[in-house]
Amino acid sequence: MPHFLSRLLMILFGTIAVSGVHAQETPTIAAASDLKFALEEVAAKFKAETHQEVRLNFGSSGNFTRQLQQGAPFEMFMSADEGFVFQLADAGKTMDRGTLYAEGRIVLFVPRGSPVRADGQLDDVRAAIVDGRMQKFAIANPEHAPYGRAAEQALRNRGLWDVIKPKLVLGENVSQAAQFATSGASQGGIFAYSLALAPAVSSLGSFVLIPAEWHQPLRQRMVLMNNATPVAKEFYRYVQMPAARVIFRKFGFILPGEAS
């Protein structure tokens, strides 16, 4: 853990140092953590094609909403739950009510060496709770992370919430939940399909999609904030273009106008 923290601090300070140089012309985008791998690729392609940059800040949609309500200087918000965008729009913080850019899915992930099997019905999760194989299970915090809320809904659907609750390890966001689920600190977890599809994550274990009907749809909406500059507006348009849609599709997102 100390090594992880030191590496995280180096990355964090490196980002601050680079962003400080371009602070005036580089807009910062607040993006839900499930977008990490997909949006980094979209932003790189945007830079290659337009020679303009955006700075990506990943976290939980609920936390970003609170920060934006308090005046955080993000120029664009990509939420994992459209309800948060509507809250900001109703508060007069946004240019409009935004646009739907994707719908997400969740997976059950078990790390390599876990005694629990990845099955889409969560039957072995149930058995592992009973026989003691399941000691820790990771999800994002349902209080402010949409993917955590979807995980809770899926577990409730299977009648597992009350028995698994004492074993939960809660990530601050879905990306942190994925770290907990893949690190071996838990016997498994539920997190975003888009993260599980990234080679850096999929190589650490096995996963299976959880039926979409077990939870409320993860309708992901983005919006420009009132302080959006031209580069942020251009990136907002770019995210809706075919080149970006190809990348989102690769990471398992269901796109507007396409069937699941």
Side-chain angles (χ1 to χ4, degrees), residues 90-105:
D90 291 343
K93 302 288 186 180
T94 64
M95 289 192 167
D96 54 25
R97 296 182 72 78
T99 187
L100 189 75
Y101 65 89
E103 185 174 318
R105 295 288 305 275

Side-chain angles (χ1 to χ4, degrees), residues 13-249:
F13 289 133
T15 301
I16 291 171
V18 171
S19 66
V21 175
H22 303 288
Q24 291 185 341
E25 62 268 29
T26 305
T28 303
I29 312 301
S33 288
D34 67 294
L35 296 171
K36 176 170 173 52
F37 298 107
L39 199 61
E40 284 177 344
E41 193 168 320
V42 171
K45 196 167 184 66
F46 173 74
K47 180 180 177 181
E49 293 183 9
T50 69
H51 307 291
Q52 298 182 105
E53 292 185 69
V54 294
R55 181 178 179 224
L56 304 176
N57 195 324
F58 297 100
S60 81
S61 299
N63 284 343
F64 277 138
T65 300
R66 281 190 288 275
Q67 292 169 26
L68 287 161
Q69 291 275 21
Q70 295 164 6
F74 302 116
E75 296 185 26
M76 176 176 161
F77 178 35
M78 299 185 72
S79 177
D81 178 355
E82 66 179 356
F84 289 125
V85 169
F86 295 148
Q87 284 181 33
L88 292 167
D90 291 343
K93 302 288 186 180
T94 64
M95 289 192 167
D96 54 25
R97 296 182 72 78
T99 187
L100 189 75
Y101 65 89
E103 185 174 318
R105 295 288 305 275
I106 54 175
V107 298
L108 167 66
F109 187 99
V110 296
R112 196 180 296 129
S114 172
V116 181
R117 184 169 55 87
D119 76 278
Q121 297 298 305
L122 304 187
D123 291 332
D124 199 51
V125 170
R126 184 188 307 277
I129 295 169
V130 174
D131 63 26
R133 284 177 291 137
M134 178 71 74
Q135 295 299 313
K136 298 291 182 184
F137 193 79
I139 67 170
N141 191 329
E143 291 187 7
H144 51 76
Y147 276 84
R149 189 168 65 239
E152 177 181 346
Q153 290 167 354
L155 290 164
R156 286 187 183 279
N157 180 280
R158 299 300 289 158
L160 292 171
W161 180 250
D162 290 336
V163 292
I164 207 169
K165 196 171 181 181
K167 303 179 184 299
L168 290 179
V169 181
L170 299 180
E172 182 67 11
N173 52 61
V174 73
S175 183
Q176 190 176 71
Q179 291 175 18
F180 293 157
T182 57
S183 67
S186 67
Q187 287 72 53
I190 293 175
F191 58 81
Y193 186 32
S194 58
L195 299 180
L197 285 173
V201 177
S202 62
S203 63
L204 299 176
S206 57
F207 63 90
V208 62
L209 272 170
I210 288 175
E213 59 269 21
W214 288 7
H215 60 85
Q216 299 268 329
L218 284 155
R219 289 174 55 85
Q220 306 200 188
R221 183 170 289 264
M222 63 182 179
V223 70
L224 288 166
M225 307 308 294
N226 288 333
N227 62 333
T229 55
V231 176
K233 293 176 182 178
E234 187 167 350
F235 186 67
Y236 183 81
R237 289 190 294 270
Y238 188 84
V239 168
Q240 302 173 64
M241 300 298 287
R245 287 172 67 94
V246 167
I247 295 170
F248 282 122
R249 196 178 296 115

